PDB file of all heavy atoms in Angstrom:
ATOM      1  N   SER A   1      23.890  83.976  22.220  1.00  0.00           N
ATOM      2  CA  SER A   1      25.343  83.989  22.086  1.00  0.00           C
ATOM      3  C   SER A   1      25.896  82.668  22.594  1.00  0.00           C
ATOM      4  O   SER A   1      25.153  81.765  22.934  1.00  0.00           O
ATOM      5  CB  SER A   1      25.933  85.156  22.874  1.00  0.00           C
ATOM      6  OG  SER A   1      25.664  84.979  24.252  1.00  0.00           O
ATOM      7  N   LEU A   2      27.173  82.587  22.671  1.00  0.00           N
ATOM      8  CA  LEU A   2      27.782  81.386  23.235  1.00  0.00           C
ATOM      9  C   LEU A   2      27.535  81.336  24.735  1.00  0.00           C
ATOM     10  O   LEU A   2      27.464  82.369  25.397  1.00  0.00           O
ATOM     11  CB  LEU A   2      29.284  81.385  22.969  1.00  0.00           C
ATOM     12  CG  LEU A   2      29.712  81.345  21.509  1.00  0.00           C
ATOM     13  CD1 LEU A   2      31.212  81.520  21.404  1.00  0.00           C
ATOM     14  CD2 LEU A   2      29.277  80.031  20.873  1.00  0.00           C
ATOM     15  N   SER A   3      27.446  80.152  25.266  1.00  0.00           N
ATOM     16  CA  SER A   3      27.232  79.981  26.705  1.00  0.00           C
ATOM     17  C   SER A   3      28.334  80.662  27.513  1.00  0.00           C
ATOM     18  O   SER A   3      28.067  81.257  28.548  1.00  0.00           O
ATOM     19  CB  SER A   3      27.167  78.496  27.039  1.00  0.00           C
ATOM     20  OG  SER A   3      26.958  78.305  28.409  1.00  0.00           O
ATOM     21  N   LEU A   4      29.562  80.576  27.027  1.00  0.00           N
ATOM     22  CA  LEU A   4      30.680  81.214  27.737  1.00  0.00           C
ATOM     23  C   LEU A   4      30.549  82.732  27.729  1.00  0.00           C
ATOM     24  O   LEU A   4      30.905  83.386  28.706  1.00  0.00           O
ATOM     25  CB  LEU A   4      32.014  80.794  27.121  1.00  0.00           C
ATOM     26  CG  LEU A   4      32.403  79.337  27.310  1.00  0.00           C
ATOM     27  CD1 LEU A   4      33.704  79.028  26.576  1.00  0.00           C
ATOM     28  CD2 LEU A   4      32.528  79.003  28.788  1.00  0.00           C
ATOM     29  N   ASP A   5      30.024  83.302  26.643  1.00  0.00           N
ATOM     30  CA  ASP A   5      29.799  84.747  26.596  1.00  0.00           C
ATOM     31  C   ASP A   5      28.755  85.161  27.627  1.00  0.00           C
ATOM     32  O   ASP A   5      28.894  86.184  28.286  1.00  0.00           O
ATOM     33  CB  ASP A   5      29.336  85.186  25.209  1.00  0.00           C
ATOM     34  CG  ASP A   5      30.459  85.200  24.185  1.00  0.00           C
ATOM     35  OD1 ASP A   5      31.635  85.081  24.579  1.00  0.00           O
ATOM     36  OD2 ASP A   5      30.145  85.326  22.987  1.00  0.00           O
ATOM     37  N   ALA A   6      27.705  84.369  27.749  1.00  0.00           N
ATOM     38  CA  ALA A   6      26.649  84.674  28.719  1.00  0.00           C
ATOM     39  C   ALA A   6      27.184  84.590  30.142  1.00  0.00           C
ATOM     40  O   ALA A   6      26.906  85.457  30.974  1.00  0.00           O
ATOM     41  CB  ALA A   6      25.474  83.716  28.542  1.00  0.00           C
ATOM     42  N   ARG A   7      27.962  83.568  30.414  1.00  0.00           N
ATOM     43  CA  ARG A   7      28.530  83.426  31.752  1.00  0.00           C
ATOM     44  C   ARG A   7      29.505  84.575  32.042  1.00  0.00           C
ATOM     45  O   ARG A   7      29.502  85.146  33.125  1.00  0.00           O
ATOM     46  CB  ARG A   7      29.224  82.081  31.914  1.00  0.00           C
ATOM     47  CG  ARG A   7      29.752  81.898  33.342  1.00  0.00           C
ATOM     48  CD  ARG A   7      30.239  80.523  33.590  1.00  0.00           C
ATOM     49  NE  ARG A   7      29.069  79.669  33.733  1.00  0.00           N
ATOM     50  CZ  ARG A   7      29.107  78.358  33.622  1.00  0.00           C
ATOM     51  NH1 ARG A   7      30.221  77.739  33.368  1.00  0.00           N
ATOM     52  NH2 ARG A   7      28.016  77.645  33.769  1.00  0.00           N
ATOM     53  N   ASN A   8      30.326  84.922  31.070  1.00  0.00           N
ATOM     54  CA  ASN A   8      31.272  86.026  31.236  1.00  0.00           C
ATOM     55  C   ASN A   8      30.521  87.332  31.499  1.00  0.00           C
ATOM     56  O   ASN A   8      30.908  88.122  32.360  1.00  0.00           O
ATOM     57  CB  ASN A   8      32.159  86.161  29.995  1.00  0.00           C
ATOM     58  CG  ASN A   8      33.236  87.203  30.187  1.00  0.00           C
ATOM     59  OD1 ASN A   8      34.145  87.014  30.980  1.00  0.00           O
ATOM     60  ND2 ASN A   8      33.107  88.300  29.475  1.00  0.00           N
ATOM     61  N   LYS A   9      29.438  87.564  30.756  1.00  0.00           N
ATOM     62  CA  LYS A   9      28.609  88.759  30.938  1.00  0.00           C
ATOM     63  C   LYS A   9      28.048  88.792  32.357  1.00  0.00           C
ATOM     64  O   LYS A   9      28.094  89.820  33.028  1.00  0.00           O
ATOM     65  CB  LYS A   9      27.469  88.749  29.909  1.00  0.00           C
ATOM     66  CG  LYS A   9      26.534  89.904  30.004  1.00  0.00           C
ATOM     67  CD  LYS A   9      27.222  91.102  29.476  1.00  0.00           C
ATOM     68  CE  LYS A   9      26.291  92.205  29.109  1.00  0.00           C
ATOM     69  NZ  LYS A   9      27.048  93.414  28.841  1.00  0.00           N
ATOM     70  N   ALA A  10      27.521  87.675  32.809  1.00  0.00           N
ATOM     71  CA  ALA A  10      26.945  87.600  34.160  1.00  0.00           C
ATOM     72  C   ALA A  10      28.024  87.794  35.225  1.00  0.00           C
ATOM     73  O   ALA A  10      27.794  88.477  36.221  1.00  0.00           O
ATOM     74  CB  ALA A  10      26.238  86.272  34.352  1.00  0.00           C
ATOM     75  N   ILE A  11      29.195  87.214  35.020  1.00  0.00           N
ATOM     76  CA  ILE A  11      30.292  87.401  35.986  1.00  0.00           C
ATOM     77  C   ILE A  11      30.684  88.875  36.037  1.00  0.00           C
ATOM     78  O   ILE A  11      30.924  89.430  37.107  1.00  0.00           O
ATOM     79  CB  ILE A  11      31.484  86.490  35.643  1.00  0.00           C
ATOM     80  CG1 ILE A  11      31.125  85.038  35.953  1.00  0.00           C
ATOM     81  CG2 ILE A  11      32.744  86.907  36.411  1.00  0.00           C
ATOM     82  CD1 ILE A  11      32.139  84.016  35.490  1.00  0.00           C
ATOM     83  N   GLY A  12      30.694  89.529  34.887  1.00  0.00           N
ATOM     84  CA  GLY A  12      30.995  90.957  34.855  1.00  0.00           C
ATOM     85  C   GLY A  12      29.961  91.800  35.574  1.00  0.00           C
ATOM     86  O   GLY A  12      30.273  92.891  36.066  1.00  0.00           O
ATOM     87  N   GLU A  13      28.741  91.312  35.665  1.00  0.00           N
ATOM     88  CA  GLU A  13      27.674  92.045  36.348  1.00  0.00           C
ATOM     89  C   GLU A  13      27.508  91.635  37.812  1.00  0.00           C
ATOM     90  O   GLU A  13      26.646  92.161  38.506  1.00  0.00           O
ATOM     91  CB  GLU A  13      26.348  91.856  35.608  1.00  0.00           C
ATOM     92  CG  GLU A  13      26.321  92.541  34.253  1.00  0.00           C
ATOM     93  CD  GLU A  13      24.964  92.491  33.582  1.00  0.00           C
ATOM     94  OE1 GLU A  13      24.022  91.905  34.138  1.00  0.00           O
ATOM     95  OE2 GLU A  13      24.850  93.056  32.485  1.00  0.00           O
ATOM     96  N   THR A  14      28.339  90.733  38.293  1.00  0.00           N
ATOM     97  CA  THR A  14      28.245  90.302  39.692  1.00  0.00           C
ATOM     98  C   THR A  14      28.419  91.481  40.642  1.00  0.00           C
ATOM     99  O   THR A  14      27.799  91.526  41.704  1.00  0.00           O
ATOM    100  CB  THR A  14      29.298  89.213  39.998  1.00  0.00           C
ATOM    101  OG1 THR A  14      29.168  88.166  39.052  1.00  0.00           O
ATOM    102  CG2 THR A  14      29.110  88.641  41.389  1.00  0.00           C
ATOM    103  N   ILE A  15      29.218  92.445  40.261  1.00  0.00           N
ATOM    104  CA  ILE A  15      29.434  93.607  41.140  1.00  0.00           C
ATOM    105  C   ILE A  15      28.148  94.430  41.276  1.00  0.00           C
ATOM    106  O   ILE A  15      27.906  95.032  42.318  1.00  0.00           O
ATOM    107  CB  ILE A  15      30.634  94.459  40.675  1.00  0.00           C
ATOM    108  CG1 ILE A  15      31.120  95.302  41.835  1.00  0.00           C
ATOM    109  CG2 ILE A  15      30.301  95.272  39.431  1.00  0.00           C
ATOM    110  CD1 ILE A  15      32.552  95.719  41.755  1.00  0.00           C
ATOM    111  N   ILE A  16      27.314  94.440  40.237  1.00  0.00           N
ATOM    112  CA  ILE A  16      26.016  95.134  40.330  1.00  0.00           C
ATOM    113  C   ILE A  16      25.145  94.422  41.356  1.00  0.00           C
ATOM    114  O   ILE A  16      24.541  95.059  42.228  1.00  0.00           O
ATOM    115  CB  ILE A  16      25.306  95.171  38.960  1.00  0.00           C
ATOM    116  CG1 ILE A  16      26.133  95.953  37.948  1.00  0.00           C
ATOM    117  CG2 ILE A  16      23.903  95.770  39.100  1.00  0.00           C
ATOM    118  CD1 ILE A  16      25.626  95.826  36.521  1.00  0.00           C
ATOM    119  N   LEU A  17      25.087  93.102  41.263  1.00  0.00           N
ATOM    120  CA  LEU A  17      24.310  92.316  42.224  1.00  0.00           C
ATOM    121  C   LEU A  17      24.807  92.557  43.643  1.00  0.00           C
ATOM    122  O   LEU A  17      24.008  92.781  44.563  1.00  0.00           O
ATOM    123  CB  LEU A  17      24.391  90.827  41.881  1.00  0.00           C
ATOM    124  CG  LEU A  17      23.785  89.855  42.892  1.00  0.00           C
ATOM    125  CD1 LEU A  17      22.306  90.147  43.103  1.00  0.00           C
ATOM    126  CD2 LEU A  17      23.996  88.426  42.425  1.00  0.00           C
ATOM    127  N   PHE A  18      26.128  92.538  43.833  1.00  0.00           N
ATOM    128  CA  PHE A  18      26.681  92.734  45.173  1.00  0.00           C
ATOM    129  C   PHE A  18      26.362  94.135  45.690  1.00  0.00           C
ATOM    130  O   PHE A  18      26.021  94.311  46.862  1.00  0.00           O
ATOM    131  CB  PHE A  18      28.191  92.480  45.159  1.00  0.00           C
ATOM    132  CG  PHE A  18      28.769  92.223  46.514  1.00  0.00           C
ATOM    133  CD1 PHE A  18      28.521  91.026  47.168  1.00  0.00           C
ATOM    134  CD2 PHE A  18      29.567  93.167  47.140  1.00  0.00           C
ATOM    135  CE1 PHE A  18      29.056  90.778  48.422  1.00  0.00           C
ATOM    136  CE2 PHE A  18      30.104  92.929  48.393  1.00  0.00           C
ATOM    137  CZ  PHE A  18      29.846  91.733  49.028  1.00  0.00           C
ATOM    138  N   HIS A  19      26.445  95.117  44.817  1.00  0.00           N
ATOM    139  CA  HIS A  19      26.095  96.489  45.209  1.00  0.00           C
ATOM    140  C   HIS A  19      24.621  96.559  45.623  1.00  0.00           C
ATOM    141  O   HIS A  19      24.279  97.187  46.625  1.00  0.00           O
ATOM    142  CB  HIS A  19      26.368  97.466  44.063  1.00  0.00           C
ATOM    143  CG  HIS A  19      25.849  98.833  44.315  1.00  0.00           C
ATOM    144  ND1 HIS A  19      26.446  99.707  45.188  1.00  0.00           N
ATOM    145  CD2 HIS A  19      24.747  99.471  43.829  1.00  0.00           C
ATOM    146  CE1 HIS A  19      25.746 100.835  45.223  1.00  0.00           C
ATOM    147  NE2 HIS A  19      24.711 100.703  44.413  1.00  0.00           N
ATOM    148  N   TYR A  20      23.744  95.917  44.846  1.00  0.00           N
ATOM    149  CA  TYR A  20      22.323  95.903  45.193  1.00  0.00           C
ATOM    150  C   TYR A  20      22.087  95.210  46.536  1.00  0.00           C
ATOM    151  O   TYR A  20      21.267  95.661  47.336  1.00  0.00           O
ATOM    152  CB  TYR A  20      21.506  95.220  44.109  1.00  0.00           C
ATOM    153  CG  TYR A  20      21.276  96.048  42.861  1.00  0.00           C
ATOM    154  CD1 TYR A  20      21.776  97.340  42.707  1.00  0.00           C
ATOM    155  CD2 TYR A  20      20.546  95.527  41.810  1.00  0.00           C
ATOM    156  CE1 TYR A  20      21.555  98.077  41.569  1.00  0.00           C
ATOM    157  CE2 TYR A  20      20.307  96.255  40.656  1.00  0.00           C
ATOM    158  CZ  TYR A  20      20.812  97.538  40.540  1.00  0.00           C
ATOM    159  OH  TYR A  20      20.565  98.261  39.410  1.00  0.00           O
ATOM    160  N   LEU A  21      22.799  94.119  46.775  1.00  0.00           N
ATOM    161  CA  LEU A  21      22.682  93.451  48.081  1.00  0.00           C
ATOM    162  C   LEU A  21      23.163  94.363  49.195  1.00  0.00           C
ATOM    163  O   LEU A  21      22.528  94.465  50.248  1.00  0.00           O
ATOM    164  CB  LEU A  21      23.487  92.145  48.077  1.00  0.00           C
ATOM    165  CG  LEU A  21      22.890  91.004  47.275  1.00  0.00           C
ATOM    166  CD1 LEU A  21      23.957  89.942  47.001  1.00  0.00           C
ATOM    167  CD2 LEU A  21      21.708  90.393  47.995  1.00  0.00           C
ATOM    168  N   PHE A  22      24.266  95.045  48.967  1.00  0.00           N
ATOM    169  CA  PHE A  22      24.826  95.978  49.957  1.00  0.00           C
ATOM    170  C   PHE A  22      23.806  97.070  50.291  1.00  0.00           C
ATOM    171  O   PHE A  22      23.596  97.396  51.457  1.00  0.00           O
ATOM    172  CB  PHE A  22      26.115  96.597  49.420  1.00  0.00           C
ATOM    173  CG  PHE A  22      26.729  97.613  50.326  1.00  0.00           C
ATOM    174  CD1 PHE A  22      27.541  97.228  51.375  1.00  0.00           C
ATOM    175  CD2 PHE A  22      26.485  98.973  50.131  1.00  0.00           C
ATOM    176  CE1 PHE A  22      28.106  98.169  52.214  1.00  0.00           C
ATOM    177  CE2 PHE A  22      27.052  99.911  50.982  1.00  0.00           C
ATOM    178  CZ  PHE A  22      27.865  99.519  52.035  1.00  0.00           C
ATOM    179  N   GLU A  23      23.182  97.625  49.270  1.00  0.00           N
ATOM    180  CA  GLU A  23      22.232  98.726  49.477  1.00  0.00           C
ATOM    181  C   GLU A  23      20.893  98.276  50.047  1.00  0.00           C
ATOM    182  O   GLU A  23      20.296  98.974  50.845  1.00  0.00           O
ATOM    183  CB  GLU A  23      21.990  99.476  48.164  1.00  0.00           C
ATOM    184  CG  GLU A  23      23.182 100.252  47.671  1.00  0.00           C
ATOM    185  CD  GLU A  23      23.553 101.417  48.575  1.00  0.00           C
ATOM    186  OE1 GLU A  23      22.668 102.009  49.221  1.00  0.00           O
ATOM    187  OE2 GLU A  23      24.766 101.713  48.651  1.00  0.00           O
ATOM    188  N   SER A  24      20.418  97.110  49.633  1.00  0.00           N
ATOM    189  CA  SER A  24      19.056  96.717  50.009  1.00  0.00           C
ATOM    190  C   SER A  24      18.984  95.838  51.260  1.00  0.00           C
ATOM    191  O   SER A  24      17.913  95.739  51.855  1.00  0.00           O
ATOM    192  CB  SER A  24      18.372  95.976  48.851  1.00  0.00           C
ATOM    193  OG  SER A  24      19.024  94.777  48.559  1.00  0.00           O
ATOM    194  N   CYS A  25      20.067  95.238  51.660  1.00  0.00           N
ATOM    195  CA  CYS A  25      20.034  94.303  52.804  1.00  0.00           C
ATOM    196  C   CYS A  25      20.625  94.938  54.049  1.00  0.00           C
ATOM    197  O   CYS A  25      21.697  94.555  54.517  1.00  0.00           O
ATOM    198  CB  CYS A  25      20.762  93.009  52.448  1.00  0.00           C
ATOM    199  SG  CYS A  25      20.021  92.138  51.067  1.00  0.00           S
TER     200      CYS A  25
END
């Protein structure tokens, strides 16, 4: 896809990463 779409997708998933950090750390 477009680079901006990929970045937008990843930014939208940042909350998943933060939740995983919250739970695992």
Side-chain angles (χ1 to χ4, degrees):
S1 64
L2 297 173
S3 180
L4 292 176
D5 285 349
R7 183 171 285 162
N8 186 68
K9 179 74 162 169
I11 289 172
E13 291 186 359
T14 307
I15 200 155
I16 298 170
L17 172 59
F18 199 72
H19 171 74
Y20 284 0
L21 287 163
F22 177 83
E23 291 293 329
S24 64
C25 299

